[in-house]
Amino acid sequence: LQTMSGNEDDWLALKPQEPSPSQCCGSGCKPCIYDVYEKELAQWERAKAKQDKSLLMEKKEQSNNSELNPDAFTAFSISSVEQLTEDTYQCKFELPGNSSLRLSLGQHIVLRGMVNGLEVQRAYTPISPGNAEGYFEVLMKCYEAGLMSQYIKTWKKGDMVFWRGPFGGFPYRPNKHGELLMLASGTGLAPMLPILQSITDDEEDETFVTLVGCFRTFHKIYLKPLLQDLARYWNIRIFYVLSQEMSLEKLPWSYQENTYTGRLNEDLVKTIINSCRRKPFVLICGSSAFNEDMSRYLKAAGIEENSCFVF
């Protein structure tokens, strides 16, 4: 009997741990961390029934071949961390050789962090072009009390961090839509950038784009040089909506004519839609409150749900 219970303890030690709610990023990943857990649990139950531990060997928690994988976390080395604003960082990660993540547009990847012994997972959308070779970059916002934020703030060059993916994405095809209207709040800018860059990189793609970036103040606008470069293209317009700026007088003149103060409200959404050159297909990315507000304003402006995509 003694050996049996000892054996039982061995098996219990090998049993996969059920994820805690903090580990699920809530972005609808396929597979979700809970799907991965169900699969590993079934594998463990089969192995235990047959009393054969070798059946657990295929378990792939982490992979070391530096290939992004939706089922397993892969380690990537941090090549730089640049602080953009007091709570936003642009982080660059190394890819082996000249490989690229080969993400489709707007796809996100999931980061795993350990904070005080607690595992957390969050979804981020790389801002580097999907075909960038040898690296990828992610825009990360840190929150005062956020668990993942505490982890990110400790990062330095050379640290290894674990990612899995890719997931989601917007099935973009060149010239499929006459005009894309992008409504982005804060780091909601991230999934818009690879789409914008793919349009400007493709001479055959004549899609019009109107990007509306919502930030609190002028100083909190991320990646200004990149956005200014994109705005030079004939088919790209960029507007800024600054909720905490009182007047436009202190802004550089190049920003004054395409910036609004206050919030992006129903009237402003209607004004921008009316200024679109073609009937827009709308992409939305921000907090859940922002996404809900935008969906409501678009409905009021007569844009049907099948003409919107929320990241």
PDB file of all heavy atoms in Angstrom, residues 255-280:
ATOM      1  N   TYR A 255       0.545  70.441 -36.178  1.00  0.00           N
ATOM      2  CA  TYR A 255      -0.484  69.613 -35.538  1.00  0.00           C
ATOM      3  C   TYR A 255      -1.812  70.351 -35.384  1.00  0.00           C
ATOM      4  O   TYR A 255      -2.841  69.741 -35.152  1.00  0.00           O
ATOM      5  CB  TYR A 255      -0.027  69.166 -34.142  1.00  0.00           C
ATOM      6  CG  TYR A 255       0.981  68.036 -34.165  1.00  0.00           C
ATOM      7  CD1 TYR A 255       2.344  68.286 -34.299  1.00  0.00           C
ATOM      8  CD2 TYR A 255       0.569  66.704 -34.052  1.00  0.00           C
ATOM      9  CE1 TYR A 255       3.269  67.262 -34.320  1.00  0.00           C
ATOM     10  CE2 TYR A 255       1.487  65.668 -34.073  1.00  0.00           C
ATOM     11  CZ  TYR A 255       2.832  65.950 -34.205  1.00  0.00           C
ATOM     12  OH  TYR A 255       3.742  64.921 -34.223  1.00  0.00           O
ATOM     13  N   GLN A 256      -1.756  71.700 -35.473  1.00  0.00           N
ATOM     14  CA  GLN A 256      -2.946  72.466 -35.092  1.00  0.00           C
ATOM     15  C   GLN A 256      -4.158  72.164 -35.956  1.00  0.00           C
ATOM     16  O   GLN A 256      -5.271  72.045 -35.458  1.00  0.00           O
ATOM     17  CB  GLN A 256      -2.628  73.963 -35.089  1.00  0.00           C
ATOM     18  CG  GLN A 256      -1.696  74.314 -33.923  1.00  0.00           C
ATOM     19  CD  GLN A 256      -1.420  75.800 -33.811  1.00  0.00           C
ATOM     20  OE1 GLN A 256      -2.116  76.628 -34.397  1.00  0.00           O
ATOM     21  NE2 GLN A 256      -0.403  76.152 -33.049  1.00  0.00           N
ATOM     22  N   GLU A 257      -3.931  71.989 -37.266  1.00  0.00           N
ATOM     23  CA  GLU A 257      -5.108  71.856 -38.126  1.00  0.00           C
ATOM     24  C   GLU A 257      -5.747  70.476 -38.070  1.00  0.00           C
ATOM     25  O   GLU A 257      -6.886  70.305 -38.506  1.00  0.00           O
ATOM     26  CB  GLU A 257      -4.746  72.218 -39.569  1.00  0.00           C
ATOM     27  CG  GLU A 257      -3.662  71.354 -40.161  1.00  0.00           C
ATOM     28  CD  GLU A 257      -3.226  71.862 -41.538  1.00  0.00           C
ATOM     29  OE1 GLU A 257      -3.390  73.072 -41.801  1.00  0.00           O
ATOM     30  OE2 GLU A 257      -2.736  71.041 -42.323  1.00  0.00           O
ATOM     31  N   ASN A 258      -5.014  69.467 -37.534  1.00  0.00           N
ATOM     32  CA  ASN A 258      -5.621  68.130 -37.493  1.00  0.00           C
ATOM     33  C   ASN A 258      -5.792  67.604 -36.071  1.00  0.00           C
ATOM     34  O   ASN A 258      -5.820  66.401 -35.832  1.00  0.00           O
ATOM     35  CB  ASN A 258      -4.809  67.137 -38.350  1.00  0.00           C
ATOM     36  CG  ASN A 258      -3.354  67.084 -37.912  1.00  0.00           C
ATOM     37  OD1 ASN A 258      -2.915  67.910 -37.121  1.00  0.00           O
ATOM     38  ND2 ASN A 258      -2.618  66.107 -38.412  1.00  0.00           N
ATOM     39  N   THR A 259      -5.891  68.531 -35.113  1.00  0.00           N
ATOM     40  CA  THR A 259      -6.056  68.123 -33.717  1.00  0.00           C
ATOM     41  C   THR A 259      -7.311  68.744 -33.124  1.00  0.00           C
ATOM     42  O   THR A 259      -7.649  69.897 -33.420  1.00  0.00           O
ATOM     43  CB  THR A 259      -4.817  68.550 -32.887  1.00  0.00           C
ATOM     44  OG1 THR A 259      -3.649  67.928 -33.454  1.00  0.00           O
ATOM     45  CG2 THR A 259      -4.936  68.103 -31.438  1.00  0.00           C
ATOM     46  N   TYR A 260      -8.010  67.950 -32.315  1.00  0.00           N
ATOM     47  CA  TYR A 260      -9.204  68.428 -31.603  1.00  0.00           C
ATOM     48  C   TYR A 260      -8.950  68.308 -30.113  1.00  0.00           C
ATOM     49  O   TYR A 260      -8.269  67.379 -29.669  1.00  0.00           O
ATOM     50  CB  TYR A 260     -10.425  67.555 -31.951  1.00  0.00           C
ATOM     51  CG  TYR A 260     -10.800  67.565 -33.411  1.00  0.00           C
ATOM     52  CD1 TYR A 260     -10.243  66.638 -34.302  1.00  0.00           C
ATOM     53  CD2 TYR A 260     -11.715  68.487 -33.909  1.00  0.00           C
ATOM     54  CE1 TYR A 260     -10.591  66.636 -35.644  1.00  0.00           C
ATOM     55  CE2 TYR A 260     -12.066  68.494 -35.255  1.00  0.00           C
ATOM     56  CZ  TYR A 260     -11.501  67.569 -36.120  1.00  0.00           C
ATOM     57  OH  TYR A 260     -11.849  67.575 -37.441  1.00  0.00           O
ATOM     58  N   THR A 261      -9.509  69.248 -29.339  1.00  0.00           N
ATOM     59  CA  THR A 261      -9.403  69.116 -27.884  1.00  0.00           C
ATOM     60  C   THR A 261     -10.714  68.529 -27.364  1.00  0.00           C
ATOM     61  O   THR A 261     -11.743  68.585 -28.040  1.00  0.00           O
ATOM     62  CB  THR A 261      -9.151  70.479 -27.208  1.00  0.00           C
ATOM     63  OG1 THR A 261     -10.209  71.361 -27.587  1.00  0.00           O
ATOM     64  CG2 THR A 261      -7.821  71.066 -27.637  1.00  0.00           C
ATOM     65  N   GLY A 262     -10.646  67.981 -26.158  1.00  0.00           N
ATOM     66  CA  GLY A 262     -11.835  67.348 -25.578  1.00  0.00           C
ATOM     67  C   GLY A 262     -11.865  65.868 -25.911  1.00  0.00           C
ATOM     68  O   GLY A 262     -10.830  65.275 -26.225  1.00  0.00           O
ATOM     69  N   ARG A 263     -13.063  65.296 -25.846  1.00  0.00           N
ATOM     70  CA  ARG A 263     -13.183  63.853 -26.072  1.00  0.00           C
ATOM     71  C   ARG A 263     -13.704  63.553 -27.470  1.00  0.00           C
ATOM     72  O   ARG A 263     -14.337  64.394 -28.094  1.00  0.00           O
ATOM     73  CB  ARG A 263     -14.140  63.242 -25.050  1.00  0.00           C
ATOM     74  CG  ARG A 263     -13.578  63.285 -23.634  1.00  0.00           C
ATOM     75  CD  ARG A 263     -14.245  62.268 -22.733  1.00  0.00           C
ATOM     76  NE  ARG A 263     -13.427  62.033 -21.548  1.00  0.00           N
ATOM     77  CZ  ARG A 263     -12.411  61.170 -21.498  1.00  0.00           C
ATOM     78  NH1 ARG A 263     -12.088  60.457 -22.549  1.00  0.00           N
ATOM     79  NH2 ARG A 263     -11.734  61.018 -20.389  1.00  0.00           N
ATOM     80  N   LEU A 264     -13.453  62.328 -27.897  1.00  0.00           N
ATOM     81  CA  LEU A 264     -14.006  61.879 -29.179  1.00  0.00           C
ATOM     82  C   LEU A 264     -15.460  61.511 -28.903  1.00  0.00           C
ATOM     83  O   LEU A 264     -15.754  60.438 -28.400  1.00  0.00           O
ATOM     84  CB  LEU A 264     -13.218  60.670 -29.701  1.00  0.00           C
ATOM     85  CG  LEU A 264     -13.658  60.099 -31.052  1.00  0.00           C
ATOM     86  CD1 LEU A 264     -13.733  61.172 -32.123  1.00  0.00           C
ATOM     87  CD2 LEU A 264     -12.715  58.985 -31.498  1.00  0.00           C
ATOM     88  N   ASN A 265     -16.374  62.443 -29.216  1.00  0.00           N
ATOM     89  CA  ASN A 265     -17.791  62.219 -28.897  1.00  0.00           C
ATOM     90  C   ASN A 265     -18.576  61.906 -30.170  1.00  0.00           C
ATOM     91  O   ASN A 265     -18.024  61.840 -31.260  1.00  0.00           O
ATOM     92  CB  ASN A 265     -18.367  63.437 -28.175  1.00  0.00           C
ATOM     93  CG  ASN A 265     -18.182  64.707 -29.000  1.00  0.00           C
ATOM     94  OD1 ASN A 265     -18.048  64.665 -30.220  1.00  0.00           O
ATOM     95  ND2 ASN A 265     -18.163  65.843 -28.328  1.00  0.00           N
ATOM     96  N   GLU A 266     -19.874  61.740 -30.007  1.00  0.00           N
ATOM     97  CA  GLU A 266     -20.718  61.326 -31.134  1.00  0.00           C
ATOM     98  C   GLU A 266     -20.668  62.330 -32.290  1.00  0.00           C
ATOM     99  O   GLU A 266     -20.564  61.943 -33.452  1.00  0.00           O
ATOM    100  CB  GLU A 266     -22.165  61.162 -30.639  1.00  0.00           C
ATOM    101  CG  GLU A 266     -23.045  60.442 -31.624  1.00  0.00           C
ATOM    102  CD  GLU A 266     -24.455  60.232 -31.081  1.00  0.00           C
ATOM    103  OE1 GLU A 266     -24.592  59.787 -29.923  1.00  0.00           O
ATOM    104  OE2 GLU A 266     -25.411  60.538 -31.810  1.00  0.00           O
ATOM    105  N   ASP A 267     -20.702  63.631 -31.945  1.00  0.00           N
ATOM    106  CA  ASP A 267     -20.681  64.660 -33.001  1.00  0.00           C
ATOM    107  C   ASP A 267     -19.392  64.629 -33.801  1.00  0.00           C
ATOM    108  O   ASP A 267     -19.398  64.728 -35.024  1.00  0.00           O
ATOM    109  CB  ASP A 267     -20.856  66.062 -32.393  1.00  0.00           C
ATOM    110  CG  ASP A 267     -22.286  66.271 -31.913  1.00  0.00           C
ATOM    111  OD1 ASP A 267     -23.163  65.492 -32.332  1.00  0.00           O
ATOM    112  OD2 ASP A 267     -22.512  67.205 -31.111  1.00  0.00           O
ATOM    113  N   LEU A 268     -18.264  64.497 -33.079  1.00  0.00           N
ATOM    114  CA  LEU A 268     -16.967  64.499 -33.762  1.00  0.00           C
ATOM    115  C   LEU A 268     -16.830  63.243 -34.639  1.00  0.00           C
ATOM    116  O   LEU A 268     -16.316  63.323 -35.764  1.00  0.00           O
ATOM    117  CB  LEU A 268     -15.834  64.585 -32.730  1.00  0.00           C
ATOM    118  CG  LEU A 268     -14.409  64.710 -33.283  1.00  0.00           C
ATOM    119  CD1 LEU A 268     -14.309  65.786 -34.355  1.00  0.00           C
ATOM    120  CD2 LEU A 268     -13.425  65.001 -32.150  1.00  0.00           C
ATOM    121  N   VAL A 269     -17.315  62.112 -34.140  1.00  0.00           N
ATOM    122  CA  VAL A 269     -17.280  60.876 -34.944  1.00  0.00           C
ATOM    123  C   VAL A 269     -18.063  61.088 -36.243  1.00  0.00           C
ATOM    124  O   VAL A 269     -17.605  60.749 -37.336  1.00  0.00           O
ATOM    125  CB  VAL A 269     -17.829  59.672 -34.142  1.00  0.00           C
ATOM    126  CG1 VAL A 269     -18.103  58.475 -35.055  1.00  0.00           C
ATOM    127  CG2 VAL A 269     -16.836  59.264 -33.043  1.00  0.00           C
ATOM    128  N   LYS A 270     -19.248  61.719 -36.115  1.00  0.00           N
ATOM    129  CA  LYS A 270     -20.065  61.975 -37.320  1.00  0.00           C
ATOM    130  C   LYS A 270     -19.338  62.903 -38.280  1.00  0.00           C
ATOM    131  O   LYS A 270     -19.312  62.673 -39.491  1.00  0.00           O
ATOM    132  CB  LYS A 270     -21.408  62.598 -36.919  1.00  0.00           C
ATOM    133  CG  LYS A 270     -22.427  61.564 -36.485  1.00  0.00           C
ATOM    134  CD  LYS A 270     -23.795  62.171 -36.235  1.00  0.00           C
ATOM    135  CE  LYS A 270     -24.782  61.079 -35.822  1.00  0.00           C
ATOM    136  NZ  LYS A 270     -25.914  61.596 -35.043  1.00  0.00           N
ATOM    137  N   THR A 271     -18.730  63.961 -37.740  1.00  0.00           N
ATOM    138  CA  THR A 271     -17.991  64.925 -38.571  1.00  0.00           C
ATOM    139  C   THR A 271     -16.877  64.210 -39.344  1.00  0.00           C
ATOM    140  O   THR A 271     -16.699  64.433 -40.545  1.00  0.00           O
ATOM    141  CB  THR A 271     -17.359  66.020 -37.670  1.00  0.00           C
ATOM    142  OG1 THR A 271     -18.409  66.650 -36.945  1.00  0.00           O
ATOM    143  CG2 THR A 271     -16.607  67.057 -38.489  1.00  0.00           C
ATOM    144  N   ILE A 272     -16.127  63.365 -38.627  1.00  0.00           N
ATOM    145  CA  ILE A 272     -15.000  62.672 -39.270  1.00  0.00           C
ATOM    146  C   ILE A 272     -15.505  61.692 -40.340  1.00  0.00           C
ATOM    147  O   ILE A 272     -14.956  61.610 -41.436  1.00  0.00           O
ATOM    148  CB  ILE A 272     -14.117  61.982 -38.209  1.00  0.00           C
ATOM    149  CG1 ILE A 272     -13.353  63.060 -37.414  1.00  0.00           C
ATOM    150  CG2 ILE A 272     -13.119  61.015 -38.863  1.00  0.00           C
ATOM    151  CD1 ILE A 272     -12.615  62.584 -36.195  1.00  0.00           C
ATOM    152  N   ILE A 273     -16.593  60.965 -40.021  1.00  0.00           N
ATOM    153  CA  ILE A 273     -17.155  60.026 -41.010  1.00  0.00           C
ATOM    154  C   ILE A 273     -17.603  60.789 -42.261  1.00  0.00           C
ATOM    155  O   ILE A 273     -17.355  60.370 -43.389  1.00  0.00           O
ATOM    156  CB  ILE A 273     -18.326  59.219 -40.407  1.00  0.00           C
ATOM    157  CG1 ILE A 273     -17.774  58.202 -39.411  1.00  0.00           C
ATOM    158  CG2 ILE A 273     -19.133  58.503 -41.487  1.00  0.00           C
ATOM    159  CD1 ILE A 273     -18.814  57.472 -38.619  1.00  0.00           C
ATOM    160  N   ASN A 274     -18.240  61.950 -42.050  1.00  0.00           N
ATOM    161  CA  ASN A 274     -18.706  62.749 -43.199  1.00  0.00           C
ATOM    162  C   ASN A 274     -17.549  63.269 -44.039  1.00  0.00           C
ATOM    163  O   ASN A 274     -17.710  63.557 -45.213  1.00  0.00           O
ATOM    164  CB  ASN A 274     -19.585  63.913 -42.723  1.00  0.00           C
ATOM    165  CG  ASN A 274     -20.915  63.409 -42.189  1.00  0.00           C
ATOM    166  OD1 ASN A 274     -21.365  62.327 -42.573  1.00  0.00           O
ATOM    167  ND2 ASN A 274     -21.530  64.160 -41.295  1.00  0.00           N
ATOM    168  N   SER A 275     -16.371  63.404 -43.408  1.00  0.00           N
ATOM    169  CA  SER A 275     -15.211  63.908 -44.151  1.00  0.00           C
ATOM    170  C   SER A 275     -14.463  62.787 -44.872  1.00  0.00           C
ATOM    171  O   SER A 275     -13.531  63.039 -45.619  1.00  0.00           O
ATOM    172  CB  SER A 275     -14.249  64.636 -43.204  1.00  0.00           C
ATOM    173  OG  SER A 275     -13.484  63.688 -42.482  1.00  0.00           O
ATOM    174  N   CYS A 276     -14.845  61.525 -44.599  1.00  0.00           N
ATOM    175  CA  CYS A 276     -14.178  60.394 -45.267  1.00  0.00           C
ATOM    176  C   CYS A 276     -14.469  60.450 -46.758  1.00  0.00           C
ATOM    177  O   CYS A 276     -15.548  60.864 -47.178  1.00  0.00           O
ATOM    178  CB  CYS A 276     -14.645  59.055 -44.689  1.00  0.00           C
ATOM    179  SG  CYS A 276     -13.930  58.717 -43.060  1.00  0.00           S
ATOM    180  N   ARG A 277     -13.493  60.013 -47.546  1.00  0.00           N
ATOM    181  CA  ARG A 277     -13.626  60.123 -48.987  1.00  0.00           C
ATOM    182  C   ARG A 277     -14.512  59.024 -49.558  1.00  0.00           C
ATOM    183  O   ARG A 277     -15.059  59.134 -50.632  1.00  0.00           O
ATOM    184  CB  ARG A 277     -12.232  60.107 -49.604  1.00  0.00           C
ATOM    185  CG  ARG A 277     -11.483  61.400 -49.228  1.00  0.00           C
ATOM    186  CD  ARG A 277     -10.022  61.187 -48.911  1.00  0.00           C
ATOM    187  NE  ARG A 277      -9.769  60.386 -47.705  1.00  0.00           N
ATOM    188  CZ  ARG A 277      -8.582  60.249 -47.151  1.00  0.00           C
ATOM    189  NH1 ARG A 277      -7.543  60.863 -47.679  1.00  0.00           N
ATOM    190  NH2 ARG A 277      -8.420  59.510 -46.071  1.00  0.00           N
ATOM    191  N   ARG A 278     -14.600  57.906 -48.843  1.00  0.00           N
ATOM    192  CA  ARG A 278     -15.474  56.808 -49.251  1.00  0.00           C
ATOM    193  C   ARG A 278     -16.161  56.285 -48.001  1.00  0.00           C
ATOM    194  O   ARG A 278     -15.770  56.638 -46.897  1.00  0.00           O
ATOM    195  CB  ARG A 278     -14.639  55.687 -49.888  1.00  0.00           C
ATOM    196  CG  ARG A 278     -13.904  56.138 -51.148  1.00  0.00           C
ATOM    197  CD  ARG A 278     -13.129  54.990 -51.746  1.00  0.00           C
ATOM    198  NE  ARG A 278     -12.414  55.406 -52.949  1.00  0.00           N
ATOM    199  CZ  ARG A 278     -11.170  55.035 -53.231  1.00  0.00           C
ATOM    200  NH1 ARG A 278     -10.504  54.270 -52.414  1.00  0.00           N
ATOM    201  NH2 ARG A 278     -10.608  55.426 -54.364  1.00  0.00           N
ATOM    202  N   LYS A 279     -17.145  55.423 -48.166  1.00  0.00           N
ATOM    203  CA  LYS A 279     -17.845  54.885 -46.990  1.00  0.00           C
ATOM    204  C   LYS A 279     -16.850  54.014 -46.218  1.00  0.00           C
ATOM    205  O   LYS A 279     -16.300  53.049 -46.766  1.00  0.00           O
ATOM    206  CB  LYS A 279     -19.039  54.039 -47.440  1.00  0.00           C
ATOM    207  CG  LYS A 279     -19.916  53.596 -46.284  1.00  0.00           C
ATOM    208  CD  LYS A 279     -21.247  53.046 -46.777  1.00  0.00           C
ATOM    209  CE  LYS A 279     -22.202  52.797 -45.629  1.00  0.00           C
ATOM    210  NZ  LYS A 279     -21.922  51.611 -44.861  1.00  0.00           N
ATOM    211  N   PRO A 280     -16.574  54.365 -44.967  1.00  0.00           N
ATOM    212  CA  PRO A 280     -15.475  53.688 -44.283  1.00  0.00           C
ATOM    213  C   PRO A 280     -15.841  52.338 -43.671  1.00  0.00           C
ATOM    214  O   PRO A 280     -16.980  52.104 -43.278  1.00  0.00           O
ATOM    215  CB  PRO A 280     -15.095  54.681 -43.176  1.00  0.00           C
ATOM    216  CG  PRO A 280     -16.368  55.388 -42.858  1.00  0.00           C
ATOM    217  CD  PRO A 280     -17.153  55.455 -44.151  1.00  0.00           C
TER     218      PRO A 280
END
